[in-house]
C-alpha cells in the first residue's frame, strides 16, 4: 500500500490506488514548485520573526527548502502521486532531509492559502510574459506598417470589397486591439497582486503571524482583506483567462485574414516556406497551417475559460476540492496563447506583401462608388439622391460589363447632371485614400500619426506592466 499521509492521523486505512490517482494533482501542479518554495521560505522567515518558531529552526527549514529547489532544478526530485500535490511533495522531502523540524513549516498555514499564493504568483509572472510577447508582435506590426506606407488595398465589409484603404492602416488596426489586450492584462495583474497568506484554511490563525511581511518579501502590493475571500475566489484566474481569450480571438482574426490573403483567390501575401506545409497527395499545395492552427486553437482557450467559470459557479464558500480543477485549463490557456503569439509573430514578420495584387484588386468591384456619391453631395445633391444615382450607374456598368474606371463623363452625366469633368479624378484609389485626413481616416498622415503614437507606446512599455 501507499505511503503515510500528511493528514493521515484521522484516517483508519490508507487510500486505495484508484482514489490516490483520482485526487492527486502532482502531475500538473508540479509546475508551481518555484512559487511553492519561495512562498515557504518567506513563511518560514515570518514564523521566526514573529517568534512562532526559533531562528535556528527557520534556518534549517530554509536550508532544506533550498536543497529541494536544487534537486528539482537538477531533475533529481521524485514527484510522487501518493503525496497528492506539489505542496505535500515538497514538505515530505523537506522532512526527509532535515527531520521532524521540517514539520514546523506548516504552522499557521494551510494548503488552501498556500495553493492560492502559488497561483497568484504564477499568474503575475505569466501576465508579464504574455505582455512581452504581445509587445514583440506589435513591434512587428508597426515595422510592417511603416515599411509599406504607400500600399493601397481594398478594405472589406461583409467580406465584399468596400473602399480602398492603406494596407498599413489595416495592419495597425491589430496593433490597437493588442494594445487593449495589454491594458486588460495589466489591469488584471493589479488584482492578482494580492497575497492570500494568513487566511490559513479559511478562519485565519491564533498565532501572531505577520501577513504583511510575507506579502512584501514575495513582491505583493497588497494582502486580502478577508481570509474567507482569499481562499475562496479564483476571480483573478477567470479574469486572466478572459483576457487571454480576447488575445486568442484577436490572433484568430489576424490568422484568418492571413489564410484568406495567402489563397490564390486573394494573392495579397506570400507566406514564407517556414510557416507553410505541403500536402501528402497534392504536389502543388502550400498550406498556411501555422495561421490555421492559431485560428483553430482559439476554441481551446475559450473552452478553458468556460471550464473554470463553470467549475466555480455555485461553489459554497470557502475552499472546495473542485477548485483543484482550475490549474490545467489555466496552464493550457497560457501555454496555447504564448505559442500562438510566437507563431503569428513569425508568420507576419516573414510574409511578403504583394502590392500589385492589392492595388489590382482595388480596380474591380466599384470601390470608388462612395467617392462619386460624395462628389455629388459636395455639389449640393442630397446624399440619399446621390447614393441612388451612383447605384444606378453601378447597375448599368454591371450590365454592360464595365468597371468604374471605364466610365466616361457622359455616363456620369446621364446618372446625374451635376457631374463635371473633374468627377473622373474620383476614380483614383490612392486619391480616395489620401483625402481621408479626418481622425480615423485612412490617409497616410493619419496612419503615420498612429505609427508614431504606437512607437511611443512601445518605447514606454515598462511603465505599463507595473
Ligand atoms: N491541490 C490542491 C488544489 O490544487 C491544494 C489545496 C488542497 N487543500 C485541501 N484542503 N485539500 O487546490
Amino acid at each position: 500500500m501507499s505511503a503515510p499521509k500528511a493528514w493521515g492521523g484521522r484516517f483508519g486505512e490508507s487510500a486505495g490506488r484508484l482514489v490516490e490517482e483520482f485526487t492527486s494533482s502532482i502531475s500538473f501542479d508540479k509546475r508551481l514548485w518555484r512559487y511553492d518554495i519561495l512562498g515557504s521560505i518567506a513563511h518560514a522567515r515570518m514564523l521566526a520573526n514573529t517568534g512562532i518558531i526559533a531562528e535556528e529552526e527557520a534556518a534549517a527549514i530554509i536550508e532544506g527548502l533550498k536543497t529541494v529547489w536544487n534537486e528539482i532544478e537538477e531533475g533529481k526530485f521524485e514527484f510522487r502521486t501518493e503525496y497528492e500535490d506539489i505542496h505535500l511533495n515538497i514538505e515530505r522531502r523537506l522532512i526527509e532531509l532535515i527531520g521532524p523540524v521540517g514539520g514546523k513549516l506548516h504552522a499557521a498555514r494551510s494548503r488552501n492559502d498556500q495553493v492560492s499564493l502559488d497561483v497568484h504568483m504564477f499568474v503575475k509572472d505569466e501576465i508579464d510574459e504574455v505582455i512581452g510577447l504581445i509587445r514583440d508582435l506589435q513591434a512587428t506590426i508597426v515595422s510592417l506598417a511603416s515599411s509599406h506606407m504607400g500600399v493601397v488595398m481594398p478594405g472589406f465589409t461583409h467580406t465584399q470589397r468596400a473602399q480602398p484603404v492603406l494596407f498599413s492602416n489595416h495592419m495597425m488596426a491589430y496593433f490597437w486591439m493588442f494594445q487593449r489586450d495589454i491594458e486588460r492584462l495589466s489591469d488584471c495583474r493589479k488584482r492578482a497582486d494580492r497575497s492570500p497568506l494568513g487566511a490559513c484554511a479559511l478562519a485565519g490563525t491564533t498565532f501572531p503571524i505577520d501577513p504583511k511581511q510575507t506579502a512584501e518579501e514575495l513582491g505583493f502590493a497588497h494582502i486580502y482583506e478577508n481570509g474567507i475571500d482569499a481562499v475562496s475566489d479564483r476571480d483573478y484566474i477567470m479574469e486572466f483567462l478572459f483576457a487571454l481569450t480576447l488575445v486568442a480571438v484577436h490572433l484568430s482574426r489576424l490568422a484568418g485574414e492571413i489564410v484568406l490573403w495567402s489563397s490564390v483567390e486573394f494573392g495579397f501575401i506570400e507566406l514564407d516556406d517556414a510557416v507553410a506545409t505541403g500536402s501528402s497527395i497534392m504536389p502543388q499545395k502550400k498550406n498556411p497551417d501555422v495561421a490555421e492552427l492559431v485560428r483553430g486553437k482559439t476554441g481551446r482557450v475559450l473552452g478553458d475559460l468556460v471550464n473554470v467559470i463553470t467549475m466555480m459557479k455555485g461553489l459554497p464558500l470557502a475552499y472546495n476540492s473542485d477548485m483543484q480543477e482550475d490549474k490545467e485549463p489555466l496552464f493550457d490557456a497560457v501555454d496555447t496563447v504564448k505559442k500562438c503569439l510566437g507563431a503569428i509573430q513569425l508568420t507576419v514578420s516573414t510574409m511578403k506583401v504583394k502590392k500589385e495584387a492589392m492595388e489590382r484588386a482595388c480596380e474591380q468591384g466599384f470601390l470608388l462608388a462612395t467617392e462619386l456619391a460624395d462628389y455629388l453631395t459636395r455639389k449640393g445633391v442630397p446624399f440619399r439622391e446621390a447614393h441612388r444615382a451612383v447605384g444606378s450607374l453601378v447597375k448599368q456598368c454591371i450590365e454592360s460589363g464595365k468597371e468604374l474606371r471605364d466610365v466616361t463623363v457622359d455616363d456620369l452625366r446621364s446618372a446625374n447632371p451635376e457631374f463635371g469633368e473633374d468627377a473622373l479624378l474620383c476614380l483614383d484609389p490612392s486619391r480616395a485614400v489620401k483625402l481621408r485626413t479626418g481622425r480615423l481616416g485612412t490617409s497616410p498622415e493619419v496612419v503615420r500619426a498612429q505609427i508614431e503614437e504606437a512607437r511611443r507606446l512601445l518605447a514606454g512599455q515598462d511603465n505599463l506592466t507595473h
Side-chain angles (χ1 to χ4, degrees):
M1 217 10 51
S2 52
K5 302 293 174 202
W7 38 256
R10 184 201 185 287
F11 285 76
E13 285 170 42
S14 49
R17 195 75 200 153
L18 186 142
V19 171
E20 250 175 26
E21 265 166 25
F22 190 70
T23 53
S24 172
S25 54
I26 191 65
S27 63
F28 50 88
D29 68 13
K30 63 180 175 206
R31 171 169 183 169
L32 297 170
W33 69 270
R34 282 193 179 80
Y35 304 113
D36 203 70
I37 293 179
L38 291 173
S40 287
I41 290 176
H43 183 66
R45 245 179 227 137
M46 183 279 291
L47 289 178
N49 288 350
T50 51
I52 299 168
I53 64 172
E55 284 292 346
E56 317 80 69
E57 291 169 336
I61 289 171
I62 292 169
E63 254 330 283
L65 286 168
K66 288 183 179 161
T67 307
V68 175
W69 179 290
N70 292 335
E71 286 181 356
I72 299 179
E73 201 155 56
E74 288 159 17
K76 293 187 192 140
F77 189 97
E78 197 194 342
F79 293 101
R80 293 176 58 176
T81 307
E82 59 267 39
Y83 299 150
E84 254 182 80
D85 54 25
I86 187 60
H87 325 295
L88 295 181
N89 266 269
I90 289 174
E91 186 182 313
R92 175 66 53 163
R93 181 68 186 136
L94 176 70
I95 294 171
E96 259 171 39
L97 285 167
I98 66 168
V101 68
K104 294 205 168 196
L105 170 64
H106 210 57
R109 189 175 72 170
S110 153
R111 275 185 295 158
N112 296 353
D113 54 351
Q114 189 178 357
V115 70
S116 182
L117 176 81
D118 293 2
V119 181
H120 274 82
M121 291 168 78
F122 172 83
V123 166
K124 281 168 63 183
D125 278 359
E126 292 297 326
I127 287 177
D128 292 346
E129 276 198 33
V130 173
I131 288 178
L133 291 169
I134 298 177
R135 283 295 187 209
D136 293 344
L137 176 57
Q138 283 182 308
T140 300
I141 290 172
V142 168
S143 76
L144 189 72
S146 71
S147 59
H148 292 82
M149 261 312 288
V151 179
V152 177
M153 69 178 279
F156 293 83
T157 64
H158 312 267
T159 327
Q160 309 283 323
R161 288 175 196 172
Q163 290 181 313
V165 296
L166 282 184
F167 166 72
S168 304
N169 201 25
H170 190 105
M171 291 312 296
M172 284 304 289
Y174 286 107
F175 176 93
W176 299 110
M177 292 180 213
F178 291 126
Q179 184 61 24
R180 289 192 297 278
D181 286 332
I182 288 179
E183 287 172 18
R184 245 183 306 272
L185 288 162
S186 311
D187 202 52
C188 166
R189 194 185 188 285
K190 285 185 210 151
R191 278 175 293 281
D193 201 7
R194 204 168 269 280
S195 169
L197 271 193
C200 300
L202 77 165
T205 175
T206 54
F207 291 103
I209 53 164
D210 184 1
K212 242 181 145 174
Q213 190 193 312
T214 35
E216 263 163 35
E217 177 167 344
L218 296 169
F220 281 95
H222 308 281
I223 52 180
Y224 274 84
E225 306 290 334
N226 179 310
I228 298 176
D229 176 33
V231 292
S232 294
D233 210 354
R234 296 290 183 267
D235 53 358
Y236 64 101
I237 296 179
M238 294 182 267
E239 197 181 350
F240 183 34
L241 288 172
F242 175 67
L244 287 174
T245 301
L246 288 193
V247 176
V249 168
H250 292 149
L251 285 172
S252 179
R253 296 187 73 179
L254 175 53
E257 294 210 297
I258 289 170
V259 172
L260 275 183
W261 291 355
S262 62
S263 68
V264 174
E265 284 69 20
F266 276 78
F268 286 1
I269 55 173
E270 192 184 324
L271 293 178
D272 194 84
D273 286 356
V275 293
T277 61
S279 155
S280 59
I281 173 169
M282 298 166 283
Q284 85 284 10
K285 290 298 287 283
K286 180 170 168 183
N287 296 328
D289 300 59
V290 169
E292 290 171 278
L293 283 167
V294 168
R295 188 175 60 180
K297 283 177 193 290
T298 318
R300 281 173 80 130
V301 182
L302 173 62
D304 293 327
L305 168 66
V306 174
N307 183 341
V308 177
I309 290 189
T310 312
M311 180 275 288
M312 286 301 293
K313 84 169 266 302
L315 285 188
L317 307 187
Y319 179 82
N320 300 271
S321 284
D322 313 45
M323 286 146 78
Q324 179 165 290
E325 290 290 310
D326 60 2
K327 280 164 221 61
E328 286 165 293
L330 168 64
F331 297 158
D332 181 67
V334 74
D335 291 344
T336 303
V337 168
K338 278 162 48 179
K339 276 187 228 151
C340 289
L341 281 164
I344 280 294
Q345 146 88 22
L346 180 67
T347 308
V348 173
S349 63
T350 54
M351 73 191 194
K352 215 183 283 146
V353 176
K354 291 160 87 180
K355 179 176 184 320
E356 290 75 27
M358 289 187 180
E359 289 177 353
R360 220 176 308 122
C362 289
E363 284 169 15
Q364 283 175 344
F366 309 98
L367 279 93
L368 297 164
T370 313
E371 306 307 300
L372 293 175
D374 285 352
Y375 174 98
L376 289 178
T377 307
R378 268 191 289 274
K379 294 258 161 155
V381 179
F383 182 76
R384 275 291 149 242
E385 211 172 292
H387 187 288
R388 209 175 313 115
V390 179
S392 69
L393 176 73
V394 167
K395 186 162 180 273
Q396 270 172 27
C397 285
I398 292 170
E399 280 160 10
S400 57
K402 279 188 186 173
E403 283 297 328
L404 277 184
R405 57 158 196 240
D406 307 319
V407 301
T408 61
V409 188
D410 290 340
D411 295 331
L412 291 175
R413 287 225 172 90
S414 67
N416 187 299
E418 290 297 331
F419 274 121
E421 287 274 347
D422 57 345
L424 291 174
L425 292 174
C426 293
L427 300 176
D428 173 7
S430 314
R431 179 178 178 273
V433 161
K434 274 193 199 110
L435 291 175
R436 295 183 143 64
T437 53
R439 246 193 102 120
L440 308 198
T442 194
S443 74
E445 61 191 272
V446 176
V447 179
R448 250 181 240 117
Q450 283 180 57
I451 290 175
E452 226 168 85
E453 174 65 5
R455 289 208 167 114
R456 208 182 54 74
L457 287 166
L458 286 173
Q461 55 187 273
D462 293 331
N463 313 340
L464 242 170
T465 34
H466 299 293

